[in-house]
């Protein structure tokens, strides 16, 4: 697996919170949407993740890999089963009377998202990091705080399931 | 990555999502962050918000006490300003800082505020911020205290709905409390009793028991009972532990998933600020997992009685632990048996060794099978053999032997050398579904057993 050569500035090199927000927020929206399967609330989730980064900035900016921290928080929020945290995010968003601005998925992609939504949680997170950010196995392991071999297995299984589904649809 | 083959439609969907996400209104989101972290003054006097089951109060300034006093705006510490600590000369409340309270009784414009068992109303004060639980939801805001004149502003709350028995009472308790809190303009403390009062409001709080950090932090706890209202059930699955460390980090398990993260104490409760979970749960353990995550994730109060720890969250949900000395078999052991190893011919899927990624070319796969003491197979180019030993704590391999004839495809020769070197370093083996994973120092080899 190779890392994209067109990387934008990452969390590791961006110095100020504002610049970092502008760079990272859209990525967290995409990540939250893919992992939660819920486009309508992806911005709420990303907002909450960025808000937590803001609150913890003094601590997090000293981390070796603050980007992994932010992604972990976003993924956890997106995976939160009872969505209580989502409600929290929504409340913060309501302060600014925000409406979702993320476009709905095109109809032709709906089967893909339905298949992604059926993946177990860790597989969903791994495959999202793989496709959205071209993350390597080591980086996925770092973000999800699992061993590289576990990350490899999660990703492999997710890709296999998605491929099997695609082949079945083609046959069907 | 070769695994991507056949997933073009998936990549297309993710690419489109990434593109769409780049179009969202990032600057509006950034401005909202300002609103949520910086207090704003929009005027003086009491401003009510239309009664609604769910109430959001934004930037409401309630001027406390004597109108002749000058109002002082405080900027909360905000990392975006780059200032680690505020130094704006604003008066900081003294005496009240760091205290936490539980409401004992209350009444506002609309009469007595009901307190529902298991859904306490709490308030705590710290460094110009106040907050707590309003029966169902969390709320927070900023405050200033000048003598006994209290100014509360920038109140906001979460807006989940609480379900279960007595839900309407809980929501009513919350709505009445928050509406009453808006009108509060005076704070008095007599012994262990705090009173917040306004023109027609009186909220009386008892001092909350602080978190017993000395007994709680550092100790290893083992979950044995899940409490849901009146019901208690025995914890199932893997040993579900909990340990908070004094450096602010934590770790533990739910019975099927492991977690780690960070925590803070907020008033009388403990809040996890980050909470990362790994693993998957069987259907049988899903509910327990959910319960553990809910209690820990929502914030909880802590009660310790000798070697018993009880964590309580809203709605009488709780977890009961006993103190233990060491984690009982926290990591799964004996991950692979000889029978499992011998059950298939394994095809190398992907992996890394000391020399980096191992990439056999398409027509030169790496395959292997296990006898009682020998691994044999094809290492991309040539056949190979290596002895192995399976022990309860892992799998070790001997030197890889076999012919060294060169193949016409150079990548096959490279893959053979890299694989041989990696295989000799293997120390552990595990099998999950159809995948065999061999690991060792700088080594991580994944094999699949082709479906018959």
């Amino acid at each position: 697996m190779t890392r994209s050569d067109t990387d934008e500035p990452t969390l590791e090199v961006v110095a100020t919170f504002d610049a970092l927000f502008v760079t990272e927020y859209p990525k967290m929206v995409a990540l939250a949407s893919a992992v939660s399967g819920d486009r309508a609330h992806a911005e709420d989730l990303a907002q909450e993740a960025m808000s937590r980064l803001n609150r913890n900035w003094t601590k997090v900016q000293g981390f070796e890999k603050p980007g992994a921290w932010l992604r972990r928080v976003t993924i956890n929020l997106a995976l939160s089963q009872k969505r209580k945290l989502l409600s929290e995010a929504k409340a913060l968003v309501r302060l600014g009377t925000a409406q979702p601005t993320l476009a709905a998925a095109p109809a032709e992609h709906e089967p893909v998202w339905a298949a992604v939504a059926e993946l177990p949680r860790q597989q969903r997170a791994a495959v999202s990091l793989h496709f959205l950010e071209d993350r390597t196995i080591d980086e996925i392991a770092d973000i999800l705080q699992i061993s590289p071999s576990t990350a490899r297995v999660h990703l492999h299984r997710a890709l296999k399931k998605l491929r099997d589904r695609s082949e079945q649809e083609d046959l069907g | 990555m070769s695994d991507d083959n056949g997933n073009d439609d998936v990549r297309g969907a993710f690419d489109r999502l990434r593109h769409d996400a780049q179009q969202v209104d990032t600057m509006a989101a950034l401005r909202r962050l300002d609103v949520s972290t910086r207090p704003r003054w929009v005027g003086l006097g009491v401003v009510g918000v239309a009664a609604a089951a769910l109430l959001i109060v934004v930037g409401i300034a309630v001027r406390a006490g004597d109108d002749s006093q000058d109002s002082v705006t405080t900027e909360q510490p905000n990392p975006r300003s780059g200032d680690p600590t505020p130094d704006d000369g604003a008066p900081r409340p003294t005496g009240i800082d760091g205290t936490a309270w539980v409401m004992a009784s209350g009444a506002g414009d609309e009469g007595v505020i009901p307190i529902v068992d298991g859904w306490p109303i709490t308030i705590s004060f710290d460094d110009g911020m106040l907050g707590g639980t309003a029966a169902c939801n969390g709320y927070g805001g900023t405050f200033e205290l000048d003598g006994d004149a209290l100014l509360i502003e920038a109140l906001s709350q979460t807006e989940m709905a609480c379900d279960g028995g007595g839900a309407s009472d809980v929501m009513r308790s919350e709505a009445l409390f928050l509406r009453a809190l808006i009108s509060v303009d005076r704070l008095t403390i007599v012994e262990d009793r705090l009173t917040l009062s306004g023109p027609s409001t009186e909220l009386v709080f008892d001092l909350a028991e602080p978190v017993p950090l000395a007994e709680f932090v550092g100790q290893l706890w083992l979950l044995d009972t899940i409490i849901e209202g009146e019901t208690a059930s025995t914890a199932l699955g893997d040993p579900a532990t909990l340990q908070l460390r004094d450096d602010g980090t934590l770790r533990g398990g739910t019975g099927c998933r492991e977690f780690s993260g960070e925590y803070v104490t907020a008033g009388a409760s403990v809040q996890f600020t980050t909470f990362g979970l790994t693993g998957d749960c069987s259907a049988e353990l899903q509910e327990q997992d959910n319960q553990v995550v809910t209690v820990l994730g929502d914030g909880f109060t802590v009660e310790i009685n000798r070697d018993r720890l009880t964590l309580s969250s809203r709605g009488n949900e709780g977890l009961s632990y006993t103190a233990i000395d060491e984690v009982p078999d926290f990591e799964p052991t004996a991950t692979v048996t000889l029978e499992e190893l011998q059950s298939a011919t394994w095809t190398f899927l992907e992996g890394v060794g000391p020399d980096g990624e191992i990439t056999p070319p398409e027509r030169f796969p790496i395959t292997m099978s296990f006898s009682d003491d020998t691994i044999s197979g094809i290492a991309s180019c040539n056949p190979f053999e290596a002895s192995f030993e399976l022990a309860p704590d892992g799998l070790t391999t001997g030197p890889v032997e076999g012919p060294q004839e060169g193949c016409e495809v150079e990548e096959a020769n490279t893959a053979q050398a890299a694989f041989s070197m990696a295989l000799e370093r293997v120390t552990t083996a595990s099998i999950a579904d159809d995948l065999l994973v061999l690991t060792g120092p700088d080594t991580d080899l994944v094999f699949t057993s082709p479906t018959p």
Side-chain angles (χ1 to χ4, degrees):
Chain A
M1 185 187 307
T2 55
R3 188 71 192 276
S4 162
D5 293 331
T6 58
D7 277 351
E8 296 167 40
T10 65
L11 212 53
E12 285 76 7
V13 295
V14 174
T16 71
F17 184 87
D18 280 21
L20 183 148
F21 188 101
V22 171
T23 307
E24 293 290 319
Y25 177 74
K27 294 179 183 175
M28 294 312 104
V29 170
L31 185 60
S33 173
V35 174
S36 70
D38 185 350
R39 283 204 175 206
H41 293 116
E43 285 162 88
D44 293 352
L45 292 165
Q47 177 92 38
E48 174 60 16
M50 298 308 294
S51 174
R52 289 184 186 198
L53 179 67
N54 189 20
R55 292 202 293 270
N56 292 285
W57 179 238
T58 311
K59 180 181 66 180
V60 177
Q61 67 177 338
F63 287 0
E64 192 185 342
K65 293 174 182 167
W69 186 94
L70 177 62
R71 280 156 182 78
R72 195 153 54 240
V73 168
T74 303
I75 288 168
N76 285 337
L77 285 168
L79 292 175
S80 169
Q81 288 186 337
K82 287 202 168 178
R83 295 297 173 80
K84 290 181 176 176
L85 299 166
L86 170 67
S87 306
E88 189 179 329
K90 212 156 100 182
L92 291 173
V93 171
R94 288 283 174 83
L95 298 172
T97 60
Q99 295 297 321
T101 56
L102 180 63
E108 71 264 28
H109 290 159
E110 281 171 9
V112 171
W113 292 118
V116 171
E118 284 178 8
L119 295 173
R121 290 179 285 202
Q122 292 284 317
Q123 292 183 24
R124 227 182 306 154
V127 82
S128 299
L129 290 166
H130 170 70
F131 278 123
L132 285 175
E133 304 199 332
D134 286 326
R135 293 281 166 185
T136 64
I137 292 290
D138 283 349
E139 288 171 325
I140 292 171
D142 226 27
I143 290 166
L144 301 179
Q145 291 195 317
I146 54 182
S147 72
S149 56
T150 306
R152 191 187 305 278
V153 170
H154 283 316
L155 181 58
H156 168 73
R157 288 186 187 157
L159 293 171
K160 186 170 183 301
K161 280 182 198 164
L162 293 173
R163 190 167 50 233
D164 289 350
R165 169 210 57 86
S166 182
E167 285 167 4
Q168 278 168 9
E169 278 176 8
D170 289 347
L171 288 174
Chain B
M1 179 164 172
S2 58
D3 258 348
D4 282 6
N5 293 341
N7 272 326
D8 291 348
D9 58 338
V10 179
R11 181 165 283 286
F14 275 95
D15 285 348
R16 174 61 183 265
L17 170 60
R18 187 170 46 202
H19 171 266
D20 288 347
Q22 286 295 334
Q23 314 304 314
V24 299
D25 195 343
T26 300
M27 296 316 292
L30 185 56
R31 286 193 296 275
R32 284 196 298 277
L33 198 67
D34 266 353
V35 173
S36 65
T37 53
R38 291 179 178 166
R40 289 191 311 176
W41 287 67
V42 294
L44 300 179
V46 178
V47 182
V49 171
L54 300 173
L55 172 77
I56 302 292
V57 190
V58 186
I60 295 173
V62 183
R63 186 69 187 103
D66 185 351
D67 277 346
S68 67
Q69 292 175 329
D70 292 331
S71 61
V72 181
T73 305
T74 60
E75 276 286 319
Q76 292 308 307
N78 186 330
R80 303 191 56 215
S81 70
D83 295 332
T85 54
D87 186 19
D88 50 18
R92 295 283 157 202
T94 56
I96 191 80
D97 249 8
T99 62
W101 308 80
V102 183
M103 196 164 94
S105 65
D109 275 343
E110 297 160 82
V112 173
I113 301 166
I115 297 173
V116 183
D117 181 42
W119 302 89
I121 293 171
T122 67
I123 194 165
S124 60
F125 302 85
D126 192 27
D127 195 24
M129 305 291 287
L130 64 78
T133 303
C136 172
N137 285 282
Y139 70 95
T142 64
F143 78 99
E144 289 173 34
L145 189 61
D146 185 2
D148 65 354
L150 176 69
L151 168 67
I152 297 175
E153 62 164 353
L155 272 178
S156 65
Q157 68 159 120
T158 60
E159 59 163 15
M160 65 185 180
C162 292
D163 47 19
S168 61
D169 288 343
V170 174
M171 301 314 290
R172 177 175 156 74
S173 172
E174 171 172 300
L176 293 184
F177 167 70
L178 286 172
R179 268 179 254 160
L181 186 63
I182 295 168
S183 67
V184 160
D185 59 14
R186 200 163 296 276
L187 180 154
T188 53
I189 298 177
V190 178
E191 295 182 346
D192 284 349
R193 181 147 279 207
L194 163 77
T195 304
L196 302 180
S197 51
S200 55
T201 298
E202 186 172 84
L203 308 173
V204 179
F205 295 80
D206 290 331
L207 193 60
E209 290 290 328
V211 179
L213 287 173
E215 296 87 22
F216 183 33
V217 174
Q219 174 66 49
L220 188 61
W221 302 94
L222 179 66
L223 178 69
D224 55 23
T225 310
I226 316 269
I227 303 157
E228 247 178 310
E230 309 263 303
T231 314
S233 52
T234 304
L236 307 170
D238 296 333
T241 59
L242 177 66
Q243 187 175 40
L244 278 67
R245 305 187 184 96
D246 58 11
D247 63 358
T249 63
L250 63 96
R251 65 166 189 152
T254 67
C256 48
R257 292 197 288 168
E258 292 174 31
F259 58 76
S260 59
E262 294 149 307
Y263 70 93
V264 294
T265 52
S269 70
V270 176
Q271 303 276 349
F272 287 6
T273 50
T274 59
F275 194 25
L277 290 140
T278 59
D280 285 308
C281 296
S282 64
E284 182 196 15
L285 290 169
Q286 195 75 56
E287 194 175 333
Q288 173 176 317
D289 175 82
N290 210 17
Q291 181 77 358
V292 174
V293 170
T294 299
V295 172
L296 297 180
D298 277 357
F300 50 84
T301 57
V302 178
E303 190 184 327
I304 294 177
N305 189 357
R306 296 189 178 182
D307 64 348
R308 175 142 302 274
L309 164 72
T310 306
L311 309 182
S312 304
S313 193
R314 283 164 288 192
N316 283 327
E317 295 188 347
L319 304 170
S320 186
Y321 293 80
T322 47
I324 55 171
D325 292 330
E326 60 183 47
V327 183
D329 293 335
F330 197 81
E331 294 291 339
T333 56
T335 50
V336 64
T337 64
L338 188 60
E339 290 72 29
E340 286 175 309
L341 291 173
Q342 292 179 340
S343 68
T345 297
W346 300 96
T347 302
F348 177 80
L349 186 64
E350 57 186 350
V352 293
D355 283 348
E357 201 158 348
I358 300 164
T359 51
E362 199 165 332
R363 289 186 298 106
F364 295 83
I366 298 171
T367 60
M368 63 182 193
S369 54
F370 291 78
S371 70
D372 286 352
D373 58 3
T374 306
I375 307 171
S376 56
I378 308 287
S380 192
C381 181
N382 289 295
F384 77 94
E385 277 191 359
S387 62
F388 78 95
E389 195 168 335
L390 190 60
D393 58 347
L395 179 148
T396 51
T397 52
V400 174
E401 295 170 348
Q404 297 294 320
E405 291 167 16
C407 286
E408 72 270 23
V409 177
E410 185 51 36
E411 288 86 351
N413 296 321
T414 308
Q416 170 173 304
F419 173 74
S420 300
M421 188 187 293
L423 187 62
E424 290 178 358
R425 300 169 75 91
V426 166
T427 56
T428 70
S430 59
I431 290 179
D433 291 350
D434 62 340
L435 291 171
L436 165 67
V437 181
L438 303 180
T439 60
D442 301 320
T443 296
D444 188 9
L445 306 171
V446 182
F447 300 82
T448 180
S449 59
T451 317

